[in-house]
């Protein structure tokens, strides 16, 4: 028999006054007024009342007093919560790990809404079965771990922590939760082993590791359990039905931008054949549908074609009531065009003006041309410091201080300094050769800036090779060295071209230095610069992220804040950084998200599960933790048998008896 007190010592002291008060009531002498009666019928009863209410008189036998004290005694025993439980192996310290990943929403369990609710119930039962000498901590985990309650013997705190645990749409990574438990059970040393000054920071504290999960995570091999004794409680069954959408995207036809191609992949990750209808909707309006019938382990590709020139939000849903609903729906979108601001500082460059004024560039770019003397004005200093421009192009000129934005240098070098180990400074960028003729020999076709380009037929009369700082990337190579190089700079990027487009002769007359401006690749290259360096993009497929990911977007730098709205929810205002970068962290719910400035859509993205591991919902019979295999323990932990409810029932029965006796006595 074990006891779990529900009252504090102060409360017990107050409770002990109740039986004392009951006894004192039987000694209390009541004031009674004389009453004249026409007979002696009440004399005997009156004499008995006077005897009972006389102070310091010997207490006479009273069945009512006995019953009342018995009721109080039973209530006290009930508040001590007597109970019995079977002998369980425990080291006195328990670590509860409860899985809150997307697969725990599976509804293949009886008597509970889903696997997560089953896990919560089992954890709650083990908390109630704890002895007074046991302490426990509670950790929830999905793709990240959260310590809901550190070690405590207070069951109320553990109950409150368990009530705060919520299932998520995120994938599973148990390693973070294991590390949280390991930090308490296996304290590390202060230095390397073998060091004479090595000190153990704390005694190792063995603990029972109770893992409540369906086992849908990768094998954890490079982890030493140490003093943790693992117990795996599998949640779920091995007979499930689940069709999952593992891919869904929308792209415009390059030749005909008004045509939208939509692709999706559906996989049967259950244990029996399943069929469904895949329904495609545009802003909740039905567009198309396709049937899917898949054997176990097979997948099917779906394709749709629609026409739209606007930014759109698409949804694909499987019409099936299987065991996991979160992967039956997928989202995709086409982003709107983003207009960027470009400042061009040049003594005059007609090929650049023409390239920035084409119909495609004009849709995504607002350019302003100024002479090099503009860099000496206060207006330029404010623009460069605030980063209001998405891109600054320096043609044959360089600023004294680099601006807080991305840059493109044509025939010039950035003017930034780097510190050397000897305390001196040197130029981060420098020319690698003297001015000479140039023949292109190599190109990085994988980089977005060099997409769709053919440059080996260019004529370049004069140029110099470019040597960039550490971390720079050569995009275009020539016989004299790198000719186009890009390098990072404090969160920004600098692109340097080693030859001029327009040059001046000895007399100051303008002359062309290359035929690139006459090639079809020139406006294509400028579009690549606008899209990659300035952040502009035509209407295209919106990116898709996993639930819980931090979404980093770059919008127009002139925007101070944006409203982020998941379709169907209320918008949330988020500030925008000085360079137009904003981070969105509230991404737990799948759906299409729109980023607006006032009423204008500036960007879009989607949140989808798209995780085969989470959609493979068959509960694992065993898991690999550290270097050992842990078999699932079916049946969980033995429940504690408590008797306080029966004690309360007995107290109520005795209270009813006391009322009956009192009624008969008065009658």
């Amino acid at each position: 028999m074990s006891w779990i007190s529900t009252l504090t010592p102060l409360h017990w002291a107050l409770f002990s006054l109740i039986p004392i008060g009951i006894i004192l009531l039987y000694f209390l002498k009541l004031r009674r007024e004389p009453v004249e009666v026409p007979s002696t019928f009440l004399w005997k009863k009156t004499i008995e009342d006077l005897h009972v209410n006389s102070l310091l008189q010997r207490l006479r036998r009273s069945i009512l007093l006995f019953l009342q004290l018995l009721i109080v005694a039973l209530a006290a025993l009930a508040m001590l919560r007597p109970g019995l439980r079977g002998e369980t192996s425990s080291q006195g310290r328990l670590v509860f790990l409860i899985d809150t990943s997307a697969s725990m929403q599976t509804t293949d369990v009886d008597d509970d809404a889903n696997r997560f609710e089953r896990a919560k119930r089992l954890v709650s039962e083990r908390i109630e079965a704890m002895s007074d000498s046991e302490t426990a901590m509670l950790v929830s985990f999905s793709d990240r771990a959260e310590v809901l309650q550190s070690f405590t013997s207070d069951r109320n705190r553990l109950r409150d922590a368990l009530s705060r645990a919520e299932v998520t749409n995120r994938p599973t990574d148990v390693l973070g939760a294991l590390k949280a438990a390991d930090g308490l059970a296996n304290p590390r040393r202060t230095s390397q082993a073998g060091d004479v000054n090595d000190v153990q920071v704390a005694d190792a504290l063995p603990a029972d590791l109770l893992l409540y999960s369906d086992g849908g995570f990768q094998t954890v091999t490079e982890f030493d359990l140490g003093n943790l004794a693992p117990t795996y409680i599998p949640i779920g069954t091995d007979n499930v039905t689940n069709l999952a959408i593992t891919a869904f995207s929308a792209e415009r036809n390059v030749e005909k931008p008004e045509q939208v191609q939509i692709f999706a992949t559906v996989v049967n990750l259950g244990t029996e054949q399943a069929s469904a209808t895949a329904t495609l909707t545009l802003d909740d309006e039905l567009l198309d549908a396709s049937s899917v019938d898949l054997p176990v382990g097979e997948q099917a590709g779906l394709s749709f074609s629609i026409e739209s020139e606007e930014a759109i939000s698409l949804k694909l849903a499987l019409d099936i009531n299987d065991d996991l609903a979160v992967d039956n729906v997928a989202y995709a979108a086409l982003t709107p065009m983003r207009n960027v601001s470009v400042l061009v500082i040049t003594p005059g460059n007609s090929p650049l003006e023409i390239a920035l004024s084409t119909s495609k560039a004009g849709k995504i770019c607002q350019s302003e041309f100024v002479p090099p003397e503009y860099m000496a004005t206060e207006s330029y200093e404010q623009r460069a410091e605030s980063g209001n421009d998405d891109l600054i192009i320096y043609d044959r000129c360089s600023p004294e201080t680099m601006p807080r934005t991305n840059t493109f240098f044509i025939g010039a070098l950035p003017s930034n300094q780097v510190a050397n180990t000897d305390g001196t400074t040197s130029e981060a960028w420098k020319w690698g050769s003297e001015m000479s003729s140039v023949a292109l020999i190599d190109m990085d076709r994988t980089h977005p800036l060099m997409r769709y380009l053919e440059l080996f037929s260019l004529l370049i009369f004069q140029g110099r090779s470019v040597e960039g700082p550490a971390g720079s990337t050569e995009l275009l190579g020539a016989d004299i060295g790198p000719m186009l190089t890009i390098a990072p700079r404090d969160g920004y990027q600098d692109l340097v071209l080693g030859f001029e487009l327009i040059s001046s002769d000895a007399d100051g007359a303008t002359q062309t230095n290359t035929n690139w401006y006459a090639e079809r690749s020139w406006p294509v290259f400028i579009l690549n610069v606008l899209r990659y360096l300035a952040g502009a993009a035509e209407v295209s497929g919106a990116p898709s992220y996993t639930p819980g990911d931090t979404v980093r977007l770059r919008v127009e730098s002139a925007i101070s804040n944006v409203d982020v709205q998941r379709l169907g929810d209320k918008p949330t205002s988020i500030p925008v950084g000085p360079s137009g970068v904003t981070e969105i962290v509230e991404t737990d719910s799948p759906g299409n998200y729109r980023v607006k400035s006032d009423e204008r859509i500036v960007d879009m993205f989607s949140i989808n599960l798209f995780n085969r591991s989470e959609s493979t919902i068959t509960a694992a019979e065993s898991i690999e933790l550290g270097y050992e295999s842990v078999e699932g323990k079916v049946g969980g932990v033995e429940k504690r048998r408590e008797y306080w409810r029966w004690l309360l029932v007995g107290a109520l029965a005795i209270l009813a008896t006391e009322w009956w006796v009192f009624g008969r006595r008065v009658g």
Side-chain angles (χ1 to χ4, degrees), residues 15-188:
F15 183 82
S16 64
L17 298 178
I18 296 177
I20 298 176
I22 294 175
I23 295 174
L24 289 178
L25 288 176
Y26 281 81
F27 283 99
L28 188 63
K29 185 173 184 180
L30 301 178
R31 290 180 175 271
R32 298 185 181 273
E33 297 182 1
V35 178
E36 294 183 4
V37 294
S39 83
T40 61
F41 180 76
L42 297 177
W43 287 5
K44 182 178 180 181
K45 182 174 180 62
T46 302
I47 293 174
E48 288 179 356
D49 288 340
L50 291 174
H51 284 306
V52 172
N53 290 281
S54 297
L55 282 175
L56 302 180
Q57 181 176 297
R58 182 175 63 86
L59 186 64
R60 304 180 65 184
R61 291 183 181 179
S62 174
I63 188 172
L64 290 177
L65 175 61
F66 172 75
L67 292 176
Q68 291 167 357
L69 293 179
L70 182 58
I71 291 171
V72 174
L74 290 177
L77 287 174
M79 286 185 288
L80 284 172
R81 289 183 60 188
L84 292 173
R85 68 183 179 98
E87 293 296 328
T88 57
S89 58
S90 173
Q91 302 186 73
R93 296 169 66 85
L94 307 174
V95 180
F96 297 110
L97 300 187
I98 181 169
D99 190 349
T100 61
S101 63
S103 61
M104 294 297 284
Q105 299 180 41
T106 305
T107 58
D108 63 335
V109 291
D110 297 329
D111 303 327
D112 293 290
N114 51 44
R115 291 178 177 180
F116 177 70
E117 294 300 327
R118 166 70 65 85
K120 285 185 68 174
R121 180 167 60 83
L122 293 178
V123 173
S124 177
E125 291 174 357
R126 184 61 182 89
I127 291 174
E128 298 303 323
M130 287 173 55
S131 64
D132 293 337
S133 61
E134 289 180 322
T135 60
M137 71 178 294
L138 179 62
V139 181
S140 66
F141 68 94
S142 52
D143 61 342
R144 64 204 68 177
E146 180 181 2
V147 179
L148 299 176
Q149 176 60 54
S150 57
F151 275 116
T152 180
S153 59
D154 189 338
R155 293 176 185 82
N156 288 328
R157 290 187 177 182
L158 291 169
R159 295 188 197 102
D160 291 341
L162 183 61
S163 66
R164 296 195 304 270
E166 295 181 351
V167 68
T168 69
N169 297 306
R170 300 180 178 183
T172 315
D173 183 5
V174 73
L175 184 58
L178 292 174
K179 289 181 178 179
D182 177 66
L184 293 170
N186 306 315
R188 298 299 185 257

